[in-house]
mmCIF file of all heavy atoms in Angstrom:
data_model
loop_
_atom_site.group_PDB
_atom_site.id
_atom_site.type_symbol
_atom_site.label_atom_id
_atom_site.label_comp_id
_atom_site.label_asym_id
_atom_site.label_seq_id
_atom_site.Cartn_x
_atom_site.Cartn_y
_atom_site.Cartn_z
ATOM 1 N N PHE A 696 16.891 14.367 -18.382
ATOM 2 C CA PHE A 696 17.347 15.612 -18.831
ATOM 3 C C PHE A 696 18.727 15.599 -19.352
ATOM 4 O O PHE A 696 19.162 16.045 -20.407
ATOM 5 C CB PHE A 696 17.222 16.660 -17.803
ATOM 6 C CG PHE A 696 17.523 18.089 -18.133
ATOM 7 C CD1 PHE A 696 16.899 18.729 -19.179
ATOM 8 C CD2 PHE A 696 18.527 18.755 -17.473
ATOM 9 C CE1 PHE A 696 17.165 20.028 -19.482
ATOM 10 C CE2 PHE A 696 18.853 20.005 -17.870
ATOM 11 C CZ PHE A 696 18.157 20.686 -18.868
ATOM 12 N N ILE A 703 13.890 21.421 -21.271
ATOM 13 C CA ILE A 703 13.642 22.322 -20.276
ATOM 14 C C ILE A 703 12.119 22.410 -19.890
ATOM 15 O O ILE A 703 11.800 22.460 -18.712
ATOM 16 C CB ILE A 703 14.196 23.842 -20.564
ATOM 17 C CG1 ILE A 703 15.672 23.687 -20.667
ATOM 18 C CG2 ILE A 703 13.749 24.844 -19.681
ATOM 19 C CD1 ILE A 703 16.331 24.792 -21.456
ATOM 20 N N GLY A 742 26.521 41.529 -12.529
ATOM 21 C CA GLY A 742 26.502 42.008 -13.917
ATOM 22 C C GLY A 742 25.605 41.224 -14.774
ATOM 23 O O GLY A 742 25.453 41.598 -16.000
ATOM 24 N N LEU A 744 22.088 39.054 -15.782
ATOM 25 C CA LEU A 744 20.715 38.963 -15.478
ATOM 26 C C LEU A 744 20.017 37.684 -15.851
ATOM 27 O O LEU A 744 18.924 37.564 -15.805
ATOM 28 C CB LEU A 744 19.964 40.182 -16.052
ATOM 29 C CG LEU A 744 20.451 41.585 -15.723
ATOM 30 C CD1 LEU A 744 19.681 42.682 -16.460
ATOM 31 C CD2 LEU A 744 20.381 41.776 -14.240
ATOM 32 N N HIS A 745 20.859 36.715 -16.605
ATOM 33 C CA HIS A 745 20.239 35.517 -17.093
ATOM 34 C C HIS A 745 19.926 34.641 -16.007
ATOM 35 O O HIS A 745 20.861 34.362 -15.144
ATOM 36 C CB HIS A 745 21.217 34.867 -18.006
ATOM 37 C CG HIS A 745 21.443 35.561 -19.350
ATOM 38 N ND1 HIS A 745 22.519 36.581 -19.305
ATOM 39 C CD2 HIS A 745 20.986 35.592 -20.563
ATOM 40 C CE1 HIS A 745 22.544 37.122 -20.477
ATOM 41 N NE2 HIS A 745 21.593 36.567 -21.211
ATOM 42 N N ASP A 746 18.604 34.185 -15.868
ATOM 43 C CA ASP A 746 18.379 33.332 -14.657
ATOM 44 C C ASP A 746 17.639 31.984 -14.958
ATOM 45 O O ASP A 746 17.338 31.202 -14.168
ATOM 46 C CB ASP A 746 17.487 34.103 -13.671
ATOM 47 C CG ASP A 746 16.236 34.396 -14.191
ATOM 48 O OD1 ASP A 746 15.855 34.183 -15.309
ATOM 49 O OD2 ASP A 746 15.419 35.041 -13.445
ATOM 50 N N ILE A 747 17.454 31.606 -16.258
ATOM 51 C CA ILE A 747 16.758 30.559 -16.574
ATOM 52 C C ILE A 747 17.508 29.092 -16.194
ATOM 53 O O ILE A 747 17.104 28.351 -15.464
ATOM 54 C CB ILE A 747 16.413 30.422 -18.171
ATOM 55 C CG1 ILE A 747 15.459 31.614 -18.474
ATOM 56 C CG2 ILE A 747 15.698 29.100 -18.370
ATOM 57 C CD1 ILE A 747 15.211 31.897 -19.880
ATOM 58 N N GLY A 748 18.824 29.271 -16.526
ATOM 59 C CA GLY A 748 19.676 28.068 -16.145
ATOM 60 C C GLY A 748 19.886 27.965 -14.595
ATOM 61 O O GLY A 748 19.803 26.814 -13.969
ATOM 62 N N GLY A 788 26.367 28.112 -5.407
ATOM 63 C CA GLY A 788 26.289 27.754 -6.864
ATOM 64 C C GLY A 788 26.339 28.988 -7.626
ATOM 65 O O GLY A 788 25.415 29.947 -7.502
ATOM 66 N N LEU A 789 27.310 29.228 -8.500
ATOM 67 C CA LEU A 789 27.471 30.508 -9.338
ATOM 68 C C LEU A 789 27.051 30.181 -10.775
ATOM 69 O O LEU A 789 27.709 29.254 -11.251
ATOM 70 C CB LEU A 789 28.865 31.060 -9.279
ATOM 71 C CG LEU A 789 29.497 31.106 -7.856
ATOM 72 C CD1 LEU A 789 30.939 31.666 -8.081
ATOM 73 C CD2 LEU A 789 28.746 32.071 -6.971
ATOM 74 N N SER A 790 26.262 31.074 -11.316
ATOM 75 C CA SER A 790 25.952 30.855 -12.766
ATOM 76 C C SER A 790 26.385 32.163 -13.521
ATOM 77 O O SER A 790 26.251 33.320 -12.969
ATOM 78 C CB SER A 790 24.419 30.700 -12.794
ATOM 79 O OG SER A 790 24.059 30.389 -14.260
ATOM 80 N N LEU A 792 26.331 33.636 -17.750
ATOM 81 C CA LEU A 792 25.974 33.410 -19.152
ATOM 82 C C LEU A 792 26.734 34.233 -20.030
ATOM 83 O O LEU A 792 26.647 34.076 -21.324
ATOM 84 C CB LEU A 792 24.428 33.628 -19.456
ATOM 85 C CG LEU A 792 23.558 32.326 -19.395
ATOM 86 C CD1 LEU A 792 23.741 31.558 -20.652
ATOM 87 C CD2 LEU A 792 23.762 31.513 -18.170
ATOM 88 N N LEU A 793 27.557 35.313 -19.554
ATOM 89 C CA LEU A 793 28.150 36.201 -20.304
ATOM 90 C C LEU A 793 29.743 36.101 -20.245
ATOM 91 O O LEU A 793 30.178 35.928 -19.132
ATOM 92 C CB LEU A 793 27.749 37.592 -20.008
ATOM 93 C CG LEU A 793 26.277 38.009 -20.250
ATOM 94 C CD1 LEU A 793 26.070 39.358 -19.668
ATOM 95 C CD2 LEU A 793 25.851 38.021 -21.736
ATOM 96 N N THR A 794 30.454 36.130 -21.271
ATOM 97 C CA THR A 794 31.935 36.051 -21.197
ATOM 98 C C THR A 794 32.379 37.113 -20.277
ATOM 99 O O THR A 794 33.433 37.097 -19.690
ATOM 100 C CB THR A 794 32.633 36.005 -22.563
ATOM 101 O OG1 THR A 794 31.985 37.130 -23.327
ATOM 102 C CG2 THR A 794 32.442 34.756 -23.232
ATOM 103 N N GLY A 821 28.741 27.123 -13.054
ATOM 104 C CA GLY A 821 28.107 26.704 -14.368
ATOM 105 C C GLY A 821 27.654 27.739 -15.220
ATOM 106 O O GLY A 821 27.509 28.975 -14.789
ATOM 107 N N GLY A 822 27.170 27.388 -16.415
ATOM 108 C CA GLY A 822 26.764 28.424 -17.329
ATOM 109 C C GLY A 822 27.394 28.172 -18.808
ATOM 110 O O GLY A 822 28.432 27.704 -18.841
ATOM 111 N N ALA A 823 26.609 28.610 -19.762
ATOM 112 C CA ALA A 823 27.077 28.239 -21.103
ATOM 113 C C ALA A 823 28.473 28.543 -21.497
ATOM 114 O O ALA A 823 29.080 27.669 -22.107
ATOM 115 C CB ALA A 823 25.990 28.829 -22.090
ATOM 116 N N ALA A 839 29.818 22.113 -13.442
ATOM 117 C CA ALA A 839 28.748 21.224 -13.939
ATOM 118 C C ALA A 839 28.251 21.775 -15.290
ATOM 119 O O ALA A 839 27.796 22.938 -15.258
ATOM 120 C CB ALA A 839 27.708 21.131 -12.936
ATOM 121 N N PRO A 840 28.114 20.965 -16.367
ATOM 122 C CA PRO A 840 27.725 21.459 -17.593
ATOM 123 C C PRO A 840 26.155 21.748 -17.647
ATOM 124 O O PRO A 840 25.659 22.311 -18.534
ATOM 125 C CB PRO A 840 28.142 20.429 -18.707
ATOM 126 C CG PRO A 840 28.266 19.144 -17.805
ATOM 127 C CD PRO A 840 28.708 19.623 -16.426
ATOM 128 N N ASP A 841 25.409 21.021 -16.751
ATOM 129 C CA ASP A 841 23.906 21.211 -16.720
ATOM 130 C C ASP A 841 23.453 20.904 -15.229
ATOM 131 O O ASP A 841 24.115 20.678 -14.393
ATOM 132 C CB ASP A 841 23.305 20.159 -17.621
ATOM 133 C CG ASP A 841 23.667 18.689 -17.339
ATOM 134 O OD1 ASP A 841 23.358 18.215 -16.242
ATOM 135 O OD2 ASP A 841 24.319 18.017 -18.161
ATOM 136 N N ALA A 842 22.165 21.314 -15.154
ATOM 137 C CA ALA A 842 21.429 21.254 -13.788
ATOM 138 C C ALA A 842 21.632 19.917 -13.104
ATOM 139 O O ALA A 842 21.828 19.818 -11.922
ATOM 140 C CB ALA A 842 20.093 21.841 -13.879
HETATM 141 CO CO1 LIG B 1413 21.281 36.996 -23.358
HETATM 142 N N1 LIG B 1413 22.974 36.434 -24.177
HETATM 143 N N2 LIG B 1413 21.859 38.833 -23.197
HETATM 144 N N3 LIG B 1413 19.512 37.414 -22.709
HETATM 145 N N4 LIG B 1413 20.716 35.253 -23.890
HETATM 146 C C1 LIG B 1413 23.170 35.074 -24.422
HETATM 147 C C2 LIG B 1413 23.798 34.305 -23.299
HETATM 148 C C3 LIG B 1413 24.042 35.128 -25.648
HETATM 149 C C4 LIG B 1413 24.904 33.787 -25.826
HETATM 150 C C5 LIG B 1413 23.194 35.402 -27.039
HETATM 151 C C6 LIG B 1413 24.024 35.453 -28.238
HETATM 152 O O1 LIG B 1413 24.573 36.458 -28.509
HETATM 153 N N5 LIG B 1413 24.126 34.464 -29.009
HETATM 154 C C7 LIG B 1413 24.881 36.403 -25.484
HETATM 155 C C8 LIG B 1413 26.152 36.211 -24.661
HETATM 156 C C9 LIG B 1413 27.435 36.399 -25.548
HETATM 157 C C10 LIG B 1413 28.703 36.167 -24.693
HETATM 158 O O2 LIG B 1413 28.795 36.670 -23.680
HETATM 159 N N6 LIG B 1413 29.508 35.402 -25.361
HETATM 160 C C11 LIG B 1413 23.900 37.269 -24.727
HETATM 161 C C12 LIG B 1413 23.952 38.694 -24.532
HETATM 162 C C13 LIG B 1413 25.078 39.359 -25.360
HETATM 163 C C14 LIG B 1413 23.046 39.433 -23.845
HETATM 164 C C15 LIG B 1413 23.008 40.909 -23.571
HETATM 165 C C16 LIG B 1413 24.383 41.502 -23.392
HETATM 166 C C17 LIG B 1413 22.224 41.393 -24.865
HETATM 167 C C18 LIG B 1413 22.250 42.987 -24.901
HETATM 168 O O3 LIG B 1413 21.524 43.546 -24.094
HETATM 169 N N7 LIG B 1413 22.974 43.576 -25.845
HETATM 170 C C19 LIG B 1413 22.073 40.967 -22.390
HETATM 171 C C20 LIG B 1413 22.863 40.963 -21.119
HETATM 172 C C21 LIG B 1413 22.068 41.312 -19.929
HETATM 173 C C22 LIG B 1413 22.665 40.979 -18.714
HETATM 174 O O4 LIG B 1413 22.692 39.958 -18.178
HETATM 175 N N8 LIG B 1413 23.334 42.017 -18.063
HETATM 176 C C23 LIG B 1413 21.215 39.805 -22.506
HETATM 177 C C24 LIG B 1413 19.901 39.729 -22.012
HETATM 178 C C25 LIG B 1413 19.122 38.660 -22.201
HETATM 179 C C26 LIG B 1413 17.483 38.603 -21.917
HETATM 180 C C27 LIG B 1413 17.322 39.540 -20.627
HETATM 181 C C28 LIG B 1413 16.850 39.144 -23.094
HETATM 182 C C29 LIG B 1413 17.361 37.087 -21.798
HETATM 183 C C30 LIG B 1413 17.538 36.534 -20.307
HETATM 184 C C31 LIG B 1413 16.158 36.167 -19.617
HETATM 185 C C32 LIG B 1413 16.362 35.437 -18.332
HETATM 186 O O5 LIG B 1413 17.272 34.760 -18.216
HETATM 187 N N9 LIG B 1413 15.424 35.697 -17.521
HETATM 188 C C33 LIG B 1413 18.452 36.370 -22.628
HETATM 189 C C34 LIG B 1413 18.468 35.052 -23.169
HETATM 190 C C35 LIG B 1413 17.231 34.494 -22.998
HETATM 191 C C36 LIG B 1413 19.635 34.607 -23.749
HETATM 192 C C37 LIG B 1413 19.668 33.305 -24.493
HETATM 193 C C38 LIG B 1413 18.872 33.447 -25.697
HETATM 194 C C39 LIG B 1413 19.245 31.999 -23.731
HETATM 195 C C40 LIG B 1413 19.863 31.769 -22.377
HETATM 196 C C41 LIG B 1413 19.168 30.804 -21.558
HETATM 197 O O6 LIG B 1413 18.351 30.969 -20.750
HETATM 198 N N10 LIG B 1413 19.337 29.436 -22.055
HETATM 199 C C42 LIG B 1413 21.257 33.136 -24.720
HETATM 200 C C43 LIG B 1413 21.619 32.463 -26.107
HETATM 201 C C44 LIG B 1413 21.682 30.974 -25.890
HETATM 202 O O7 LIG B 1413 22.140 30.463 -24.925
HETATM 203 N N11 LIG B 1413 21.288 30.377 -26.899
HETATM 204 C C45 LIG B 1413 21.706 34.538 -24.484
HETATM 205 C C46 LIG B 1413 18.786 28.348 -21.484
HETATM 206 C C47 LIG B 1413 19.324 27.987 -20.104
HETATM 207 C C48 LIG B 1413 18.693 26.626 -19.595
HETATM 208 O O8 LIG B 1413 20.694 27.583 -20.435
HETATM 209 O O9 LIG B 1413 21.447 29.320 -18.731
HETATM 210 O O10 LIG B 1413 23.088 27.935 -20.329
HETATM 211 P P1 LIG B 1413 21.889 28.072 -19.558
HETATM 212 O O11 LIG B 1413 21.833 26.911 -18.371
HETATM 213 C C49 LIG B 1413 22.180 25.680 -18.665
HETATM 214 C C50 LIG B 1413 23.821 25.393 -18.298
HETATM 215 O O12 LIG B 1413 24.595 26.365 -18.713
HETATM 216 C C51 LIG B 1413 23.804 24.966 -16.909
HETATM 217 O O13 LIG B 1413 22.541 24.360 -16.553
HETATM 218 C C52 LIG B 1413 21.636 24.698 -17.584
HETATM 219 C C53 LIG B 1413 20.947 23.609 -18.189
HETATM 220 O O14 LIG B 1413 20.766 22.580 -17.361
HETATM 221 N N12 LIG B 1413 24.095 26.032 -15.934
HETATM 222 C C54 LIG B 1413 24.607 25.585 -14.685
HETATM 223 C C55 LIG B 1413 23.739 27.294 -15.770
HETATM 224 N N13 LIG B 1413 24.070 27.672 -14.656
HETATM 225 C C56 LIG B 1413 24.577 26.804 -13.848
HETATM 226 C C57 LIG B 1413 25.102 26.847 -12.624
HETATM 227 C C58 LIG B 1413 25.582 25.579 -12.136
HETATM 228 C C59 LIG B 1413 25.606 24.464 -12.964
HETATM 229 C C60 LIG B 1413 25.166 24.379 -14.146
HETATM 230 O O15 LIG B 1413 26.144 25.441 -10.971
HETATM 231 C C61 LIG B 1413 25.983 26.402 -9.984
#
Side-chain angles (χ1 to χ4, degrees):
F696 181 61
I703 294 165
L744 303 176
H745 296 84
D746 67 356
I747 301 171
L789 311 179
S790 180
L792 264 285
L793 298 172
T794 44
D841 57 61

